[in-house]
């Protein structure tokens, strides 16, 4: 082996880990972009929190591991895991609250916004109407915010919310009283566990993007490293 060959081999050995770490960081951001593309394709009007639900953990030449990790939820199983795997969805905080406090003879397992519910631009139940409903049916976490007889008297002319009595012809749910004796359904209440079909293909989309991009990133980064190495 010539002196030139030995020197090149030595440079490769020194620069390869650094180049590989840079290439892995390049490709892990490609993977993060792939996740955001998959979210956009899988969900209707995803919120910003959903779009940015994953973060990157970068590699270094001492730790040649780069990861795409979902951001932690405050508690419980992350909702995107349910979408990735399919199956039953755990009760939301709202559903647990209603199950504990709602004056309702049946089982409250799942609640779903009905046609009459106000929705946000992302398709979720309006927080303003949700708070009005919870206050009216005495299900607010802070009981001081619940509607009282005195506050009802001050709000004459505003529509109220109610849950039908047992035996009512109305289907289980929360309704809003409208003018001229009409009612509008705001929430469906069911004793069934909410389930999802598998629809979020996280691993598949990321694997395709990473496998396609990694070799090119490494080749480019290694050439840069060797060109600047002394």
């Amino acid at each position: 082996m010539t002196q030139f060959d030995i020197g090149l081999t030595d440079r490769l050995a020194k620069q390869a880990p650094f180049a590989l770490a840079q290439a892995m960081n390049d490709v892990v951001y490609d993977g993060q972009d792939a996740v955001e593309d998959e979210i956009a394709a899988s969900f209707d009007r995803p919120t910003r929190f959903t779009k940015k639900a994953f973060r990157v953990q970068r590699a270094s030449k001492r730790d040649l591991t780069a990861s795409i990790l979902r951001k932690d939820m405050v508690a419980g199983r992350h909702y995107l895991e349910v979408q990735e795997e399919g199956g039953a969805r755990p009760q939301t905080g709202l559903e647990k609250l209603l199950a504990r406090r709602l004056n309702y003879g049946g089982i409250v397992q799942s609640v779903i916004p009905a046609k009459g519910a106000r929705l946000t631009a992302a398709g979720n139940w309006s927080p303003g109407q949700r708070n009005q409903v919870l206050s009216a049916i005495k299900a607010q976490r802070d009981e001081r915010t619940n509607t009282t007889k005195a506050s009802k008297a001050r709000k004459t002319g505003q529509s109220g919310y109610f849950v039908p009595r047992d035996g009512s012809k109305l289907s289980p749910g929360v309704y809003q009283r409208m003018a001229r004796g009409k009612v509008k359904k705001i929430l469906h209440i069911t004793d069934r566990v909410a389930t999802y079909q598998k629809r979020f293909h996280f691993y598949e989309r990321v694997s395709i993007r990473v496998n396609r991009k990694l070799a090119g990133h490494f080749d480019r980064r290694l050439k840069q490293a060797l060109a600047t190495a002394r």
Side-chain angles (χ1 to χ4, degrees):
M1 183 178 290
T2 67
Q3 186 175 354
F4 173 78
D5 292 333
I6 294 171
L8 180 61
T9 302
D10 186 55
R11 278 197 295 161
L12 278 172
K14 289 180 178 179
Q15 296 302 321
F18 176 69
L20 181 56
Q22 287 188 310
M24 293 182 70
N25 290 331
D26 291 334
V27 82
V28 80
Y29 285 111
D30 288 331
Q32 187 180 41
D33 290 341
V35 173
E36 293 181 10
D37 291 344
E38 176 64 16
I39 288 171
S42 298
F43 304 112
D44 178 32
R45 294 173 293 174
T47 64
R48 176 174 174 78
F49 182 83
T50 297
K51 291 176 182 177
K52 302 298 181 183
F54 290 84
R55 62 183 176 86
V56 163
Q57 183 172 291
R58 292 169 58 87
S60 68
K61 64 179 181 180
R62 294 181 181 83
D63 181 7
L64 294 174
T65 304
S67 305
I68 301 171
L69 306 170
R70 65 167 176 78
K71 296 175 183 177
D72 293 334
M73 297 285 285
V74 175
R77 189 183 180 199
H78 199 286
Y79 60 93
L80 286 177
E81 291 178 358
V82 181
Q83 299 284 0
E84 169 73 23
E85 300 167 9
R89 169 179 65 73
Q91 274 192 314
T92 64
L94 173 64
E95 289 165 342
K96 292 177 181 179
L97 179 66
L98 292 177
R100 289 196 307 269
R101 298 196 179 182
L102 196 63
N103 185 15
Y104 172 66
I107 296 173
V108 180
Q109 176 63 41
S110 305
V111 296
I112 305 164
K115 188 176 180 179
R118 293 201 302 268
L119 302 179
T120 65
N124 298 318
W125 191 22
S126 160
Q129 188 179 52
R130 180 191 64 209
N131 291 336
Q132 289 174 0
V133 168
L134 294 180
S135 179
I137 62 179
K138 303 294 189 294
Q140 282 279 23
R141 286 185 174 85
D142 184 352
E143 294 184 357
R144 293 171 297 179
T145 62
N146 285 328
T147 303
T148 64
K149 290 182 179 180
S151 64
K152 284 181 181 179
R154 291 194 299 269
K155 296 179 181 179
T156 56
Q158 292 189 16
S159 301
Y161 299 94
F162 69 97
V163 177
R165 295 186 180 130
D166 294 344
S168 171
K169 294 181 180 180
L170 296 174
S171 60
V174 176
Y175 291 78
Q176 183 179 14
R177 292 186 180 91
M178 310 299 290
R180 300 177 183 176
K182 293 183 179 181
V183 298
K184 178 169 63 175
K185 192 170 190 180
I186 305 301
L187 281 184
H188 300 291
I189 295 177
T190 176
D191 59 359
R192 296 180 181 178
V193 175
T195 58
Y196 290 132
Q197 297 291 325
K198 180 176 179 177
R199 62 184 298 183
F200 178 49
H201 305 96
F202 166 79
Y203 295 103
E204 179 181 350
R205 179 74 75 116
V206 171
S207 295
I208 291 172
R209 187 74 60 91
V210 167
N211 290 334
R212 190 171 74 238
K213 294 274 192 175
L214 181 58
H217 284 311
F218 179 65
D219 183 62
R220 175 174 53 84
R221 290 296 191 177
L222 184 58
K223 288 177 180 178
Q224 291 174 350
L226 290 174
T228 58
R230 295 180 179 179

